[in-house]
Amino acid sequence: MSKTAIIIDTDPGQDDAVAILTALGSPQLEVVGISVVAGNVPLELTAKNARIICEWAGRPEVPVYAGCGRPLLRPLVTAEHVHGKTGLDGVPLHEPVMPLQQEHAVDFIIRTLREREAGTVTLCMLGPLTNLAMAIVRAPDIVGRIREIVLMGGAYFEGGNITPSAEFNIYVDPDAAATVLACSASITMLPLDVTHKATASPARIGLLRALPNRAGNLAADILTTLERFDVQRYGADGAPLHDPTVIAYVLQPGLFSGRRVHVAVEQNSELTLGATPVDWWGVTGKPANVNYLTTVDSDGFFRLLADNLSTLP
């Protein structure tokens, strides 16, 4: 069976770490490379954390590229209040040995999409969309070569998690998000409306903790740390697990459902900056630009994570 080629664009970040580990553990995926962006923590830390995660997975050959250190037009907003000062609170960290690639992440994305056969590379977007927006602006020809953009971002029915109306990844760089959503590529969006249903209950964390390897226990420790923040905020039975839903959708889209709709991004209002209005009932008449997911088989999702994490050291 041929593998699905993916680029992971990310700002690790605790849930990013679980997503990257899941992808690196999957026999179905070829991780062509990891591009990092400033988001949960500044670029210097996201570049370091991505390499640490690759080394946790025993995959130091996966190239990591540093990208944009700030949003297209705005000052950087980070999320240390969730992920800690390192971005990976709750687990022991080390200095990575594997090198950071010299090529800029935006150049890597453009080069890969041009070199690979058109329609064969899926972009897994786990953070702010700055790197991809820059690539689209600089090289519009790549849009027609993308197999699919699968992104964690946005919110509508659930409200926001960084402001009352905005989800963090979109809020950090709404101008980049607007560029990506308008690009005409095939886009699947995993908003808070679905990720808030993928909660890491004690039993689901236990599924990962029971794996007889380091990766399973690292993932369990990360989710336990996230839980301290999210359970306090949301009163749920566990922390929502956001970014790994992207990898799960690429691996097993049948775990999710939603509908094709038109989604816009608010770029101007101080009150609702980064909001993603979803035309759920088709009232605007605008053509659908997004496959917007709203439901997930949560138990199946965590079984999928466990299956793929189990292949790692």
Side-chain angles (χ1 to χ4, degrees):
M1 182 180 68
S2 61
K3 295 185 176 184
T4 299
I6 66 169
I7 291 172
I8 299 175
D9 191 90
T10 180
D11 60 337
Q14 291 161 316
D15 56 330
D16 304 72
V18 178
I20 294 167
L21 288 171
T22 302
L24 293 175
S26 171
Q28 296 173 241
L29 299 178
E30 176 197 357
V31 182
V32 179
I34 296 174
S35 54
V36 297
V37 68
N40 285 320
V41 287
L43 184 68
E44 180 183 359
L45 288 176
T46 61
K48 178 180 178 180
N49 290 348
R51 290 177 288 150
I52 290 172
I53 296 159
C54 288
E55 291 182 356
W56 283 345
R59 296 290 303 279
E61 79 283 1
V62 175
V64 175
Y65 302 84
C68 298
R70 51 159 290 174
L72 296 181
L73 302 175
R74 304 169 195 270
L76 177 64
V77 176
T78 55
E80 286 92 346
H81 64 289
V82 178
H83 299 271
K85 290 192 178 300
T86 67
L88 291 175
D89 265 17
V91 289
L93 303 179
H94 64 275
E95 284 298 320
V97 175
M98 62 184 283
L100 187 65
Q101 301 299 307
Q102 292 300 306
E103 188 177 19
H104 193 281
V106 173
D107 295 321
F108 158 67
I109 292 169
I110 293 170
R111 174 177 59 81
T112 302
L113 288 168
R114 284 175 171 171
E115 289 179 353
R116 294 267 177 150
E117 183 182 348
T120 62
V121 178
T122 296
L123 305 181
C124 296
M125 310 300 296
L126 310 183
L129 296 169
T130 315
N131 286 339
L132 179 53
M134 281 289 291
I136 290 169
V137 170
R138 283 185 42 201
D141 60 284
I142 65 172
V143 172
R145 305 185 65 84
I146 298 168
R147 177 176 178 172
E148 186 175 17
I149 299 166
V150 184
L151 69 92
M152 190 275 128
Y156 185 63
F157 300 105
E158 281 286 307
N161 63 354
I162 186 69
T163 72
S165 56
E167 179 275 329
F168 177 80
N169 285 342
I170 306 298
Y171 178 80
V172 169
D173 199 342
D175 309 292
T179 298
V180 170
L181 291 188
C183 80
S184 79
S186 175
I187 300 174
T188 290
M189 196 167 179
L190 292 116
L192 299 184
D193 304 321
V194 70
T195 66
H196 278 183
K197 297 168 185 171
T199 52
S201 66
R204 292 168 183 160
I205 293 175
L207 192 65
L208 306 182
R209 179 80 67 196
L211 296 175
N213 62 355
R214 184 182 182 215
N217 279 275
L218 283 167
D221 286 343
I222 287 168
L223 297 188
T224 302
T225 305
L226 273 175
E227 189 175 61
R228 294 174 196 148
F229 176 83
D230 283 325
V231 172
Q232 182 178 2
R233 167 176 282 186
Y234 299 115
D237 64 348
L241 193 50
H242 306 290
D243 293 332
T245 60
V246 168
I247 305 302
Y249 175 80
V250 173
L251 289 172
Q252 197 172 332
L255 290 172
F256 301 87
S257 65
R259 67 169 71 164
R260 288 193 51 76
V261 293
H262 185 272
V263 180
V265 181
E266 176 55 55
Q267 298 169 259
N268 300 307
S269 165
E270 183 177 341
L271 183 63
T272 59
L273 182 69
T276 48
V278 174
D279 188 6
W280 192 251
W281 302 113
V283 296
T284 66
K286 293 180 179 179
N289 60 343
V290 165
N291 176 29
Y292 191 87
L293 302 180
T294 54
T295 69
V296 58
D297 172 355
S298 298
D299 288 330
F301 167 61
F302 274 87
R303 285 194 298 270
L304 179 67
L305 297 187
D307 287 347
N308 288 284
L309 290 170
S310 70
T311 70
L312 297 174

